[in-house]
């Protein structure tokens, strides 16, 4: 499941939610992680915690203003408005990207492909299917020998943030999330030797 | 499909056989003939409403139990959750471990490699056990205490202290962490372990892993959708009582 794009959906209507879920199944690499109807407690915190690449939002579902909703998101996610022909234009204009529920299937899919194709989370989509880069292999080697992000960063003269970005990309490419999982991978591929782990 | 009390349990199982381990947790075994859910529950003194809530939540990810369906005592729910834990610990995990050990034996040249997978699984097992232990020894007794306090109408200072230091809201967050290792193990087997001549053991392991993953997902959903709101309501009542 490498290179997948995670999506959170906020829509009150069961029928529309199911429709969107079906639509997303048609597009490879998309993964709907959470579905909300907008009435949930601590909705923003929940969205922030699941760190999606994309948020599909029916703006009518949120109690607060759209502005304060967007401002309280502390993640870099592509926001997609779930709108209809009847959505007032002042709301429509707030969204850079939108899906129109009145469109037919073909249009919806094309539209969606366009959005995720140009959207931020997809910037390095082309490279996701490739094997690890040299840099990533070095970082993997350090991490799996038990070093923390901080120490790896110091060793390689990188910022901790850069190390974390590399780690994220490694996980995306391999489909392995935990350090011990990565360790097994590194051993299998002779990136590290058993003795190095014990240090 | 919505599962109702007048349905034959046999028909329900035909429709969704992954419910078999779930009904086992209520002490119900296969061989129920033509009996309906209600008849079986009456015979075994199982709370029918509760049984239906669990089956439906487990069967349909879209299902959300209405408030009146959540009227059974928290202790009934806890009893079910403990049974589920028992199933994971005594059946599922040992079975998967056995299969992975078998894989280690089957691989002639790559024994060390497959032993890595076994080690990885054992690590997962340890983490999983300590997660369940925490629920059983800390979270569940806390819930039972809350319910007791409401029943007798008296709140001890110990319970209030516990409420302050740990609210059920924190508990929802703890679920995701255990899942990641299971996900990794699937990918290690599918993508990275060296190929064997015969895939049948690997296939069995994957079936088991996908199955366990689904079971755990529904288990967590039952906890998040039913237990957590119930406890939140009880915490609220107790706060009012102690004022």
């Amino acid at each position: 499941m490498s290179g997948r794009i995670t999506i959170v959906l906020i829509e009150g209507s069961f029928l529309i939610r199911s429709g969107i879920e079906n639509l997303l199944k048609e597009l490879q690499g998309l993964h709907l992680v959470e579905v909300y109807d907008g009435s949930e407690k601590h909705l923003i915190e929940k969205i922030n915690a699941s760190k999606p690449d994309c948020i599909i939002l029916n703006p009518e579902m949120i109690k607060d203003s759209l502005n304060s909703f967007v401002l309280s998101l502390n993640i870099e996610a592509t926001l997609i408005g779930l709108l209809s022909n009847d959505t007032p234009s002042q709301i429509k204009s707030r969204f850079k990207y939108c899906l129109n529920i009145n469109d037919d299937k073909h249009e919806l899919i094309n539209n969606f492909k366009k959005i995720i194709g140009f959207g931020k989370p997809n910037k390095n989509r082309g490279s996701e299917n490739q094997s690890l880069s040299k840099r990533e292999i070095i970082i993997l080697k350090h991490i799996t020998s038990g070093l923390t992000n901080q120490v790896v960063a110091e060793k390689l003269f990188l910022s901790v943030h850069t190390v974390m970005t590399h780690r994220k990309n490694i996980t995306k490419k391999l489909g392995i999330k935990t350090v011990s999982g990565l360790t097994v991978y590194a051993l299998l591929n002779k990136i590290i030797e058993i003795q190095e782990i014990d240090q | 499909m919505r599962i109702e009390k007048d349905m034959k349990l046999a028909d329900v199982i035909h429709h969704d056989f992954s419910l078999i381990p779930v009904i086992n947790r209520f002490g119900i075994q296969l061989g129920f003939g033509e009996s309906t859910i209600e008849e079986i529950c009456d015979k075994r003194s199982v709370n029918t409403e509760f049984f239906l809530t669990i089956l439906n939540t487990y069967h349909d990810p879209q299902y959300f139990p209405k408030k009146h369906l959540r009227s059974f005592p928290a202790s009934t729910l806890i009893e079910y959750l403990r049974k589920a834990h028992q199933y994971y610990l005594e059946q599922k995990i040992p079975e998967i471990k056995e299969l992975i050990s078998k894989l280690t034996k089957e691989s002639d040249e790559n024994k060390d490699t497959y032993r890595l997978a076994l080690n990885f699984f054992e690590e997962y097992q340890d983490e999983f056990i300590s997660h369940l232990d925490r629920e059983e020894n800390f979270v569940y007794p806390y819930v039972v205490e809350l319910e007791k306090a409401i029943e007798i109408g008296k709140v001890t200072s110990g319970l209030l202290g516990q409420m302050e230091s740990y609210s059920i809201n924190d508990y929802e967050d703890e679920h995701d962490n255990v899942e990641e290792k299971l996900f990794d193990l699937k990918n290690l087997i599918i993508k990275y372990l060296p190929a064997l001549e015969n895939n049948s053991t690997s296939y069995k392991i994957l079936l088991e892993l996908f199955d366990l993953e689904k079971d755990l997902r529904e288990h967590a959903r039952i906890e998040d959708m039913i237990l957590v709101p119930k406890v939140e309501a009880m915490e609220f009542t107790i706060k009012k009582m102690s004022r």
Side-chain angles (χ1 to χ4, degrees):
Chain A
M1 256 181 269
S2 61
R4 59 186 203 154
I5 297 172
T6 54
I7 298 173
V8 163
L9 171 63
I10 306 154
E11 162 63 50
S13 149
F14 161 73
L15 282 177
I16 294 179
R17 276 199 311 263
S18 311
I20 298 281
E21 281 170 33
N22 260 326
L23 191 72
L24 294 180
K25 278 184 199 146
E26 304 251 340
L27 292 156
Q28 266 215 333
L30 299 186
H31 185 65
L32 194 59
V33 280
E34 298 289 352
V35 181
Y36 300 113
D37 64 17
S39 69
E40 288 82 1
K41 270 194 223 161
H42 316 297
L43 182 59
I44 297 271
E45 288 85 343
K46 283 177 180 161
I47 297 172
N48 281 336
S50 56
K51 297 191 192 79
D53 298 314
C54 260
I55 300 169
I56 303 178
L57 167 72
N58 178 346
E60 288 170 30
M61 294 306 140
I62 44 176
K63 284 166 259 161
D64 308 330
S65 72
L66 191 56
N67 244 345
S68 60
F69 178 84
V70 174
L71 287 175
S72 350
L73 291 171
N74 57 17
I75 43 174
E76 287 183 28
T78 307
L79 186 65
I80 303 173
L82 191 56
L83 312 176
S84 73
N85 285 345
D86 305 326
T87 307
S89 55
Q90 72 265 27
I91 294 188
K92 232 178 234 176
S93 61
R94 307 284 286 279
F95 289 98
K96 193 172 167 197
Y97 304 108
C98 61
L99 293 173
N100 185 334
I101 60 167
N102 299 105
D103 280 352
D104 68 22
K105 184 178 170 184
H106 188 69
E107 283 173 314
L108 280 166
I109 290 188
N110 272 347
N111 224 338
F112 203 84
K113 275 189 187 159
K114 246 188 237 166
I115 295 170
I116 56 173
F118 293 129
K120 222 175 189 172
N122 241 21
K123 224 167 25 187
N124 42 17
R125 200 172 186 210
S127 65
E128 276 167 7
N129 293 328
Q130 293 166 10
S131 45
L132 298 182
S133 69
K134 275 184 191 156
R135 211 3 48 117
E136 284 163 351
I137 290 179
I138 294 170
I139 288 182
L140 181 65
K141 192 176 159 81
H142 284 311
I143 289 166
T144 50
S145 358
L147 302 184
T148 61
N149 289 342
Q150 181 74 48
V151 177
V152 177
E154 279 164 20
K155 267 199 157 177
L156 301 176
F157 306 105
L158 296 171
S159 70
V160 176
H161 180 77
T162 310
V163 173
M164 277 163 71
T165 309
H166 279 301
R167 278 189 72 159
K168 236 175 152 179
N169 289 336
I170 293 170
T171 291
K172 263 193 177 165
K173 282 183 182 174
L174 301 181
I176 298 180
K177 294 177 181 171
T178 64
V179 175
S180 36
L182 290 172
T183 309
V184 175
Y185 174 87
L187 286 167
L188 287 176
N189 291 280
K190 313 246 179 317
I191 294 169
I192 49 167
E193 299 291 329
I194 293 263
Q195 301 86 316
E196 293 177 58
I197 307 174
D198 300 329
Q199 285 173 9
Chain B
M1 182 185 75
R2 176 66 60 86
I3 302 169
E4 310 275 6
K5 61 182 175 188
D6 53 359
M7 287 179 174
K8 286 182 187 169
L9 189 53
D11 291 342
V12 174
I13 296 300
H14 266 293
H15 194 79
D16 182 355
F17 69 87
S18 70
L19 292 173
I20 293 174
V22 181
I23 63 165
N24 287 163
R25 284 164 212 165
F26 289 89
I28 299 168
Q29 310 295 345
L30 293 178
F32 18 73
E34 306 296 323
S35 313
T36 65
I37 290 181
E38 196 172 24
E39 287 163 359
I40 293 173
C41 285
D42 283 351
K43 208 170 136 196
R44 305 216 161 237
S45 346
V46 170
N47 181 330
T48 313
E49 297 265 280
F50 177 64
F51 186 68
L52 286 172
T53 306
I54 295 293
L55 287 199
N56 277 309
T57 311
Y58 199 93
H59 167 67
D60 176 9
Q62 309 279 356
Y63 178 80
F64 187 78
K66 295 257 160 51
K67 264 214 169 92
H68 76 274
L69 278 176
R70 288 189 244 142
S71 56
F72 39 77
S75 52
T76 308
L77 181 58
I78 300 280
E79 197 188 326
Y80 166 82
L81 294 171
R82 282 188 196 273
K83 282 266 170 59
H85 285 182
Q86 207 181 341
Y87 166 73
Y88 302 139
L89 293 180
E90 290 173 13
Q91 250 176 290
K92 255 346 211 188
I93 298 285
E95 272 169 21
I96 297 173
K97 198 170 161 182
E98 179 71 42
L99 282 169
I100 299 180
S101 317
K102 191 166 169 239
L103 209 57
T104 320
K105 282 169 207 141
E106 281 170 7
S107 57
D108 294 328
E109 315 141 43
N110 296 309
K111 271 205 168 23
D112 288 344
T113 313
Y114 278 91
R115 204 155 287 138
L116 287 175
L118 189 59
N119 288 343
F120 182 75
F121 185 74
E122 281 167 351
E123 213 175 285
Y124 166 74
Q125 184 184 11
D126 293 343
E127 268 174 41
F128 186 57
I129 290 174
S130 71
H131 172 74
L132 298 191
D133 275 352
R134 189 172 149 64
E135 290 192 345
E136 300 221 353
N137 298 325
F138 193 78
V139 183
Y140 295 171
Y142 168 64
V143 177
V144 173
E145 282 302 309
L146 285 179
E147 195 167 55
K148 256 194 221 151
I150 292 176
E151 231 174 71
I152 58 170
K154 220 170 113 192
V155 189
T156 62
S157 56
L159 187 60
L160 278 177
Q162 228 179 332
M163 261 173 72
E164 263 163 41
S165 64
Y166 183 85
S167 155
I168 197 73
N169 272 325
D170 308 329
Y171 167 71
E172 265 183 290
D173 307 331
E174 289 171 18
H175 271 142
D176 307 329
N177 311 329
V178 206
E179 287 167 27
E180 292 190 339
K181 275 222 161 89
L182 208 53
F183 175 87
D184 285 359
L185 185 57
K186 285 191 324 196
N187 259 339
L188 285 171
I189 296 174
I190 296 173
K191 298 209 260 186
Y192 300 119
L193 287 174
L196 289 174
E197 232 165 82
N198 186 339
N199 257 342
S200 91
T201 309
S202 306
Y203 177 59
K204 276 184 205 147
I205 296 173
L206 284 173
L207 280 181
E208 289 287 336
L209 291 178
F210 277 101
D211 188 54
L212 177 62
E213 195 178 43
K214 177 187 179 327
D215 205 313
L216 290 174
R217 194 168 49 229
E218 304 312 336
H219 184 77
R221 216 156 51 83
I222 286 172
E223 291 178 322
D224 293 346
M225 291 289 199
I226 309 176
L227 183 66
V228 171
K230 229 178 161 52
V231 174
E232 274 171 351
M234 290 197 292
E235 284 178 341
F236 185 74
T237 311
I238 289 195
K239 266 180 208 149
K240 268 204 318 210
M241 278 165 61
S242 61
R243 229 179 255 157

